[in-house]
Amino acid sequence: MARVNSFRVLAALLTLFATAETPLPKSYVGVQGLVIVGQHQDIAGTQKGVGAGPLLQLRAGGSRLVGNIEGIPVVGIPGVAPSETYGQATPHVGIFNGEFEYATSANRTLWLGLGETVYNQRTPLPAQNQVVSSRLAGVRYAVRYIHPTSESHFVEAFVGAAPTLSGSDVYVATGGALLETKPERASEVDASLSFGYYHRSNEWLIGLRSLNFAAKFINTGEAADRNVGIGPLIEWRHVLP
């Protein structure tokens, strides 16, 4: 009888430990503050600089299947110095990512996702009296790993990739007249590693995130836009009841 009771106590302790290490899935809304240090390359040359903006977050669903979306409004990344040919060609970038994620096991540590990425860019070329803009969209694949390290702390790693984004570069004169349209194809990869903290109905994350975007013109095969950067992030999430 004593041995049976010991097994019961051990099972109860293991159950409590598993619950602490694998918290229930959470639905939340949040904001990720992101600063990117990197460079933008296009026909205007290479522009290096620092960009910052808020990524709005929403995650909702059940125990194994959730929907996850994030979006950043179009923000400018000012260059260090203007181009002699194109002037102060300050690129503006906006991103929307959305996917459904499925937990591969009952402990909900590893998630696989499928969805869509939309990438918006706008670069004024003042010395040429024109603006170049593009809107690209394609299928997005995602992998998320969440590992609680205690009842109130966790590590979260994420990789998202859109191997094929399709759209066009549109050249418009300063007065609004359409000058030229060039079909293009691109790819995009973003990755992050964060350390998180639970506090009541809130989560706080601090970490790093990188973005890598590259495009080329379909008709000629020459390089179009390229954006590469990495920077710190801080994210606040409010867990929904």
Side-chain angles (χ1 to χ4, degrees):
M1 179 65 66
R3 179 175 297 180
V4 172
N5 289 334
S6 297
F7 279 127
R8 288 177 178 175
V9 171
L10 179 60
L13 290 175
L14 289 175
T15 300
L16 289 174
F17 178 77
T19 302
E21 288 297 300
T22 309
L24 293 174
K26 297 180 176 66
S27 297
Y28 60 77
V29 294
V31 179
Q32 181 182 114
L34 179 63
V35 177
I36 291 290
V37 180
Q39 65 182 33
H40 169 87
Q41 293 175 292
D42 58 18
I43 61 172
T46 299
Q47 300 287 324
K48 297 182 179 180
V50 178
L55 276 158
L56 306 180
Q57 310 274 356
L58 173 62
R59 184 176 177 89
S63 61
R64 299 286 291 273
L65 181 65
V66 301
N68 192 84
I69 62 175
E70 66 174 4
I72 184 171
V74 177
V75 296
I77 305 175
V80 176
S83 164
E84 293 182 3
T85 304
Y86 300 100
Q88 186 68 53
T90 302
H92 295 72
V93 180
I95 303 171
F96 170 83
N97 294 317
E99 71 268 350
F100 287 103
E101 297 181 10
Y102 177 75
T104 60
S105 60
N107 65 7
R108 299 175 293 276
T109 298
L110 181 65
W111 298 76
L112 301 180
L114 180 66
E116 183 181 33
T117 287
V118 180
Y119 213 96
N120 291 290
Q121 295 188 88
R122 181 178 180 274
T123 304
L125 309 176
Q128 298 293 312
N129 294 316
Q130 60 182 258
V131 176
V132 182
S133 61
S134 65
R135 184 181 186 277
L136 302 170
V139 176
R140 174 177 175 84
Y141 305 92
V143 178
R144 189 184 304 271
Y145 177 77
I146 305 173
H147 178 67
T149 56
S150 70
E151 291 186 357
S152 59
H153 295 84
F154 63 96
V155 176
E156 182 169 322
F158 178 84
V159 177
T164 303
L165 297 168
S166 299
S168 297
D169 262 18
V170 180
Y171 297 78
V172 178
T174 303
L178 176 63
L179 299 175
E180 186 179 10
T181 298
K182 293 183 178 181
E184 67 175 328
R185 184 172 292 118
S187 62
E188 187 267 346
V189 177
D190 65 278
S192 64
L193 177 62
S194 305
F195 298 91
Y197 170 66
Y198 304 113
H199 181 64
R200 297 180 180 176
S201 60
N202 298 293
E203 296 179 356
W204 291 93
L205 292 86
I206 298 176
L208 288 173
R209 184 165 184 171
S210 66
L211 299 174
N212 192 325
F213 171 91
K216 67 179 181 179
F217 295 115
I218 297 175
N219 294 339
T220 63
E222 63 180 334
D225 296 330
R226 179 167 175 78
N227 298 290
V228 180
I230 188 171
L233 69 86
I234 180 168
E235 183 173 338
W236 166 77
R237 299 169 176 174
H238 177 68
V239 180
L240 301 175

